[in-house]
Amino acid sequence: MAKAIQLAVLKVLMIIIFAGWIAVWIQKPTNMWTRKWKGAEDSSRYTVFGYYGLNFAVYTFPLISLTIIGLVYLNLVSKEPPRSRPARSATIGFSNPVLVNSFLGILSSIEILAVFLFVLFLAWTYYARISNDFKKLMPVKSLNLDLWQLRYLRVATRFGLLAEACLALLLLPILRGLALFQILGIQFEASVRYHIWLGTSMILFATIHGASTLFIWGVSHHIQDEMWRWQKTGRIYLAGEISLVTGLVIWITSLPQIRRRRFEIFYYTHHLYIVFLIFFLFHAGDRHFYSVFAGIFLFGLDKLLRIVQSIPETCVLSARIFLLPGKAIELTLPKDPRLKYTPTSVIYMKIPSISKFQWHPFSITSSSNLDDHTMSVVVKCNGGWTRTFYDVIQAELDSDTGSMSCMPVSVEGPYGPASLDFLRHDSLLMIAGGAGITPFLSILKEIASVNSSRYRFPTQVQLIYVVKKSQDICLLNSVSSLLLNQSSTKLSLKLKVYVTQEERSDATVRGLVHDLSLVRTVNFSTECTNYAVHGPESPIWMAAMAALSSIKFMVSLICFNHIFLPHEKKSAVTEKILPSEKKAAKEKTPSSVVDLLLLASFIIALACNTFLASILRWKGLKKDIRPLSPKHGKATEHGSVETGSPVEEHELHFGGRPDFQDIFSKFPNETGGSDIGVLVCGPVSMMESVASLCQLKSQGLNIGSRGKKTYFSFHSLNFTL
């Protein structure tokens, strides 16, 4: 009861902080806010915190505090005992698809509402700024502009503020350890599309801002004088141009045509975000930078803490190579027995022998309830990096040295959902396409491993698996015992396989799985390291690091400003100074110096926390080092399917795609459940087809043939190989 009260209080506190932060952004374009804000800055200038302390407290710290409280909330949720299946919530429909579009994807009502409110906010910001500008048009001293040119220049300037609003949110969806979206149950892989939307919008507004400004300079014949200026105070135009060009390069190389075919180009050019952000700071100045600084601060801290986590390298224990043209490998890695993760979790892995810089995500296919000392991932070798990895293992196999050398790897994660509410339905309909089967492997193992009555997972599960070739069924190898020997578990699992590009009528699932179950297992040496995968630190530890970093940043910034900048003390004399004289006093210090002090404080705060995190990490690892069981020997070929019941309950279809309408109609009667969870993972077209059916069901076409009301809850999963 006490924990429930604590969770409720934290929820209310997060809502209040978020509402206050939103209210600041809504009032920011108004004249009233501008007047009061200037007065507040002038009053705080003479305090120990200065005007920068006020900017940090109002614009930046609310999101940092929201993250800290959210991590405390997630820590309490993770320690909460497993709940029984909750009653169907009246708001469950908000998670179901409302709009299914090939361009926008699958959108729920909450996502549509959030996008609408954000667009409305951008429109309000732009209208408020432009209307005030046109009422108080002031000529630019350095430019001799006509009235229309002056107005168009103000229009261009205000588009820059829209880009700034997008930048304030841009980095929040791609946080992993300090993930704000995890509080809402949205995982990193799903929230990446919000990052794409915000990035595209930001580049669009920034391009209009920059191109329009250059156009006005061109028609007024001042382009040569203005575009190369690095002013001592105010907007530094050259820095803005460098930032814009860098942003365009990042955006162009992020397009699907380049990202999918030339991943290395996308990966390396994306690191130009450091150049983009630094020159944005010089262009916009520290006051504007505080508006977007929260996301940058959290992203920098998140990135460095993830690097600390991945520095101790572990090693590959074994690899199971499926002897098929598809070239799939199941890797087994050592893990700490205390590391627990939820189904559908993802790890990020780097193999230095292949690439010292590239990280690639992989869905975990094992269950931490079944495997205390190991974890498994499946690698489908269909890209440049994965093919190189396959060739390295194949070369080791062909070397005939008698034992496999040690293969060090760096691991980040696992990252997964904070709760398993998406599994707490009467029954599950799981639909997978191709490599999209990988998240379901961990789900099936998790459900089958549950023996306690405290867990209320569904026992009626139907798995629809769509593949192009029958050889792709080999990915089911790790759950073959569940498929063919269900008498030993409480799970009732029915498999329907659809092979779309083959014609064959005499095969069965049992026979096909047996034929494709031959694998070649390779055991690796473990002499190079004794470290197992320990996973990320606890949420409460991450919250403490975020709080310490913000304190160190403010302390460093206060010290630097008092050392390097002239400090004004409020007195009767300073109060009588005219505004023009105050402005002249401020301009004695170049704005780039103030920006550099902010940047230095940021670097020092993160560096100190990274150093502290490294010390704590290494101390913890040295206490917990356990020798890994060394495995040597040549590869062996064997089958992993046990003989089971001769009854064939599964279905195998060749030469066609599944009729999802028919499957949805029959499923309630086959399972007897009224609350059905629909989990889908695979190609976009298949996910959109399933989402469209769930959309129809949620609109009232959800009456089973037995006359019982049936609820379909849609959940799209993301897979990585």
Side-chain angles (χ1 to χ4, degrees), residues 63 80 92 141 312 366 408 436 481 493 499 519 541 580 608 620 659 664 667 689 701:
L63 280 184
E80 192 178 19
I92 197 169
K141 294 181 180 179
S366 56
S481 59
L493 172 63
V499 183
V519 296
W541 187 93
S580 59
C608 290
D659 184 352
F664 270 66
F667 185 75
S689 299
L701 304 177

Side-chain angles (χ1 to χ4, degrees), residues 284-518:
D286 64 325
R287 283 177 170 83
H288 281 269
F289 197 72
Y290 283 115
S291 300
V292 304
F293 188 45
I296 299 169
F297 186 93
L298 292 172
F299 178 79
L301 180 61
D302 182 78
K303 180 76 173 178
L304 290 175
L305 292 180
R306 289 190 283 112
I307 291 174
V308 170
Q309 179 205 338
S310 63
I311 286 176
E313 292 182 342
T314 184
C315 61
V316 178
L317 291 179
S318 64
R320 302 173 69 232
I321 302 179
F322 299 102
L323 303 178
L324 292 167
K327 294 185 177 181
I329 304 174
E330 184 181 41
L331 295 181
T332 301
L333 304 172
K335 84 170 183 69
D336 188 271
R338 295 168 299 180
L339 174 60
K340 299 297 180 181
Y341 50 84
T342 51
T344 72
S345 292
V346 172
I347 64 171
Y348 288 78
M349 194 166 64
K350 177 183 71 174
I351 303 180
S353 59
I354 298 177
S355 174
K356 294 183 179 180
F357 303 105
Q358 288 190 35
W359 290 84
H360 292 265
F362 298 94
S363 297
I364 300 177
T365 58
S366 56
S367 169
S368 57
N369 288 332
L370 289 176
D371 303 310
D372 288 333
H373 299 279
T374 60
M375 63 193 310
S376 303
V377 297
V378 171
V379 180
K380 191 73 182 299
C381 306
N382 53 7
W385 186 89
T386 52
R387 282 196 297 266
T388 302
F389 176 55
Y390 181 89
D391 293 339
V392 168
I393 295 183
Q394 193 65 49
E396 291 280 359
L397 290 174
D398 298 338
S399 63
D400 198 25
T401 57
S403 64
M404 305 300 294
S405 59
C406 182
M407 180 174 287
V409 296
S410 298
V411 176
E412 279 185 22
Y415 303 112
S419 69
L420 296 177
D421 286 343
F422 69 101
L423 294 180
R424 291 185 171 90
H425 298 278
D426 293 335
S427 52
L428 285 181
L429 176 60
M430 303 194 299
I431 302 172
I437 191 65
T438 50
F440 296 128
L441 300 180
S442 61
I443 290 175
L444 291 175
K445 292 178 182 179
E446 186 78 11
I447 295 176
S449 68
V450 172
N451 295 318
S452 172
S453 59
R454 295 182 304 167
Y455 293 85
R456 298 293 298 171
F457 289 160
T459 56
Q460 300 290 328
V461 179
Q462 188 171 119
L463 175 59
I464 311 297
Y465 190 24
V466 185
V467 295
K468 293 181 180 179
K469 302 289 184 180
S470 58
Q471 65 192 26
D472 296 331
I473 303 177
C474 69
L475 295 179
L476 293 172
N477 183 272
S478 62
V479 294
S480 57
S481 59
L482 295 177
L483 293 171
L484 305 180
N485 301 281
Q486 297 187 40
S487 58
S488 59
T489 65
K490 298 180 181 180
L491 174 64
S492 176
L493 172 63
K494 184 172 184 179
L495 172 66
K496 295 182 180 181
V497 179
Y498 293 83
V499 183
T500 60
Q501 296 184 3
E502 288 184 7
E503 296 291 339
R504 186 175 172 183
S505 58
D506 57 345
T508 62
V509 171
R510 178 179 297 277
L512 194 57
V513 171
H514 184 272
D515 292 342
L516 300 175
S517 64
L518 291 178

Side-chain angles (χ1 to χ4, degrees), residues 37-198:
W37 185 252
K38 286 182 178 179
E41 275 196 338
D42 289 338
S43 300
S44 63
R45 184 180 301 278
Y46 307 103
T47 65
V48 67
F49 294 102
Y51 76 90
Y52 42 84
L54 180 65
N55 278 268
F56 181 82
V58 174
Y59 291 115
T60 300
F61 191 69
L63 280 184
I64 297 176
S65 61
L66 191 64
T67 302
I68 294 171
I69 297 171
L71 289 169
V72 175
Y73 174 83
L74 291 176
N75 188 70
L76 290 174
V77 169
S78 64
K79 294 181 179 180
E80 192 178 19
R83 298 177 298 169
S84 61
R85 185 182 300 131
R88 184 181 183 274
S89 171
T91 61
I92 197 169
F94 287 111
S95 63
N96 278 338
V98 172
L99 176 65
V100 180
N101 183 275
S102 58
F103 178 72
L104 296 175
I106 303 169
L107 298 178
S108 67
S109 56
I110 291 180
E111 290 174 320
I112 294 175
L113 178 62
V115 171
F116 172 76
L117 291 177
F118 184 67
V119 172
L120 191 64
F121 161 73
L122 293 179
W124 153 249
T125 300
Y126 192 76
Y127 168 77
R129 292 291 190 182
I130 284 294
S131 60
N132 291 333
D133 288 345
F134 283 1
K135 292 176 183 176
K136 304 175 182 179
L137 268 178
M138 298 291 291
V140 182
K141 294 181 180 179
S142 60
L143 302 175
N144 186 17
L145 300 179
D146 296 336
L147 180 60
W148 74 269
Q149 294 172 346
L150 187 58
R151 287 183 174 178
Y152 190 64
L153 183 61
R154 302 311 299 167
V155 167
T157 302
R158 295 315 179 189
F159 268 105
L161 292 180
L162 299 186
E164 179 185 301
C166 295
L167 180 57
L169 302 175
L170 179 64
L171 298 176
L172 299 180
I174 55 174
L175 298 175
R176 297 178 194 170
L178 301 172
L180 280 170
F181 281 80
Q182 194 175 7
I183 303 171
L184 304 175
I186 303 174
Q187 290 307 110
F188 171 78
E189 292 74 21
S191 63
V192 167
R193 66 173 176 173
Y194 308 141
H195 173 74
I196 296 173
W197 294 348
L198 289 167

Side-chain angles (χ1 to χ4, degrees), residues 262-273:
R262 296 289 186 271
F263 179 81
E264 291 79 7
I265 296 176
F266 156 76
Y267 180 81
Y268 291 119
T269 56
H270 231 63
H271 287 78
L272 291 173
Y273 70 84

